[in-house]
Amino acid sequence: MGSLDTNPSTFVCTDDLDSSFQPLNAEDVRSYLHTSVDFICDYYKSVESLPVLPGVEPGYLRRLLQPAPPTSSAPFHVTMKELRDAVVPGMTHWASPNFFAFFPATNSAAAIAGELIASAMNTVGFTWQANPAATEMEVLALDWLAQLLRLPPSFLMNNRTGATGGGVILGTTSEAMLVTLVAARDAALRRMGSNGVAGMTRLTVYAADQTHSTFFKACRLAGFDPANIRSIPTAADTDYGLDPARLLEIMKADVAAGLVPTYICATVGTTSSNAVDPVGAIADIAAAFDAWVHVDAAYAGSACICPEFRHHIDGVERVDSISMSPHKWLMTCLDCTCLWVRDAGRLTGSLETNPEYLKNGASESGAVTDLKDMQVGVGRRFRGLKLWMVMRTYGAAKLQEHIRSDVAMAKMFEDSVRADDRFEVVVPRNFALVCFRIKPLQGDMLMTEEEAEEANRELMERLNRTGKAYVAHTVIGGKFVLRFAVGSSTQEERHVRSAWELIQKTTTEIMDQGREM
């Protein structure tokens, strides 16, 4: 057997390859995985000492690793050496306890084990028959999590009330938005009596300007006219949450103009500031227009397993769908976004496929829901296993303890910021995110907003260059703001305190240099 590549300098004839190639040889699996597990354990032991942001330049990896694929095999230890020497130095370490940027990507021993086992089994559970255990495990895990969130029984797939709800585990929040937008679109077109997509130009969708940018991308993918995508301005008087009165005003104006309100995205925990849109009030307004309401609780939904935070999704019984991502804050590694819908039939009606080669008795009996019909594609991973393993291993009490600990550390950081008169907390803290900045007035030193932005940008860049902390920024109310997100799985109070000391020290250096100029 020879190479299909025509460049003889890159590939050689492979006629002499070992004909007994066994990629799943049991001893190789055992050896490779033992080596990999040792690598993972060593990584978590050392990650605190690694620079959170790598000091590499674009294209660095191609210069370290050979540009053409190898023809001959190499011992696994050679592969692992290249991983350690070339890949790890170019990693941004989201697992670092000094990672405070964006929102966390949490993990746990149980999640890693679940991901490993699911990957090893490598099942493709598009229908119940293709893997009954994978489908039923996903349904069970979703129902468990729904109960922790105290979602109404109408969202559960295995409820005993005769309701038609259900759920599915997707890769990201973007997918949850896209599939519900498609279902809402089709429902609105049916109400209009429109054949095909002729009425698409009349459909309108709504969200606050703090809503994640992927929502507006998903709207375009679902075919909504960009001119009919309403990004509703928010302000400090609502803590940058969506104002129901403003929403109602805009929807009424659209109806008067002959448009059809179709979908509202309410966010619980926006990316910029952790703002919370009022779910119940939005649902009440939507009901008057028969518009679909989706709740994006990707990050903050995890906190709602704690009774003291559950009020943030009050009114959820009146929405059409809700999603949250355990891979952000519930100790379950990427990718794992949970979507629940009150009427699963509205989702499957838009997304169902039924090719001959997938027909089977279980599907046709109506006794099962094939999860392929609640997502964009057909193929699907065994994501439910790791989510179930996390909940089964740790239980609700430890997961709640994890959330509360992060919130307490964020409050400690917020208190420290407020105690230093050089800084200000820009919006009230929600959950475990603190938005703060060097404020323009510094004793006898007055900065313009432009100078304050420059000082805060300089603070962020200096912090990140140290490798000892990583923070990100946003713009809120026209102000350049630093985001300090607590929540890395390995974070402890000492890491938050060290980061604050570094922030204070670096700010002093910046202020002293400013006075010398």
Side-chain angles (χ1 to χ4, degrees), residues 141-142 144-146 148-149 151 168-174 176-177 268 294-306 313 321-332 335-340 387 391 399 403:
L142 284 163
W144 274 15
L145 185 51
L148 290 183
L149 293 167
L151 295 184
V168 63
I169 301 179
L170 304 170
T172 65
T173 301
S174 310
M177 290 175 173
V268 175
H294 174 70
V295 176
D296 168 17
Y299 161 73
S302 294
C304 295
I305 68 170
C306 300
I313 57 171
S321 55
I322 179 172
S323 63
M324 56 90 75
S325 299
H327 63 236
K328 289 186 180 294
W329 204 13
L330 208 60
M331 314 305 290
T332 307
D335 49 5
C336 185
T337 289
C338 299
L339 169 67
W340 294 271
L387 180 59
M391 290 189 286
L399 294 175
I403 296 290

Side-chain angles (χ1 to χ4, degrees), residues 82-298:
E82 292 184 353
L83 169 64
R84 285 189 293 269
D85 294 348
V87 178
V88 172
M91 294 286 293
T92 296
H93 297 290
W94 287 65
S96 170
N98 302 312
F99 184 99
F100 301 100
F102 311 114
F103 283 135
T106 54
N107 211 343
S108 62
I112 294 170
E115 184 78 346
L116 173 62
I117 294 169
S119 295
M121 291 179 171
N122 203 31
T123 184
V124 186
F126 33 66
T127 62
W128 179 90
Q129 187 179 62
N131 194 328
T135 297
E136 299 203 6
M137 175 64 76
E138 187 161 326
V139 171
L140 177 65
L142 284 163
D143 281 358
W144 274 15
L145 185 51
Q147 291 174 66
L148 290 183
L149 293 167
R150 288 189 289 149
L151 295 184
S154 56
F155 283 94
L156 275 62
M157 195 168 285
N158 283 340
N159 68 77
R160 300 185 180 182
T161 64
T164 57
V168 63
I169 301 179
L170 304 170
T172 65
T173 301
S174 310
E175 295 174 57
M177 290 175 173
L178 179 58
V179 298
T180 53
L181 278 162
V182 168
R185 176 198 70 191
D186 291 352
L189 291 173
R190 286 193 297 272
R191 290 196 305 273
M192 294 166 57
S194 175
N195 294 322
V197 295
M200 278 293 294
T201 57
R202 294 177 56 202
L203 305 186
T204 53
V205 295
Y206 307 84
D209 60 0
Q210 299 296 304
T211 303
H212 199 282
S213 60
T214 56
F215 169 71
F216 304 100
K217 178 178 181 178
C219 289
R220 295 194 299 273
L221 288 172
F224 289 93
D225 186 338
N228 292 343
I229 301 173
R230 308 286 184 248
S231 178
I232 302 173
T234 57
D237 59 351
T238 60
D239 292 333
Y240 297 96
L242 181 59
D243 180 359
R246 181 66 175 141
L247 171 66
L248 178 59
E249 177 187 350
I250 292 173
M251 294 178 76
K252 283 182 174 179
D254 282 341
V255 171
L259 301 175
V260 179
T262 300
Y263 184 104
I264 306 167
C265 182
T267 305
V268 175
T270 61
T271 301
S272 279
S273 64
N274 250 342
V276 176
D277 295 336
V279 173
I282 291 170
D284 290 342
I285 290 169
F289 299 90
D290 208 8
W292 184 296
V293 179
H294 174 70
V295 176
D296 168 17

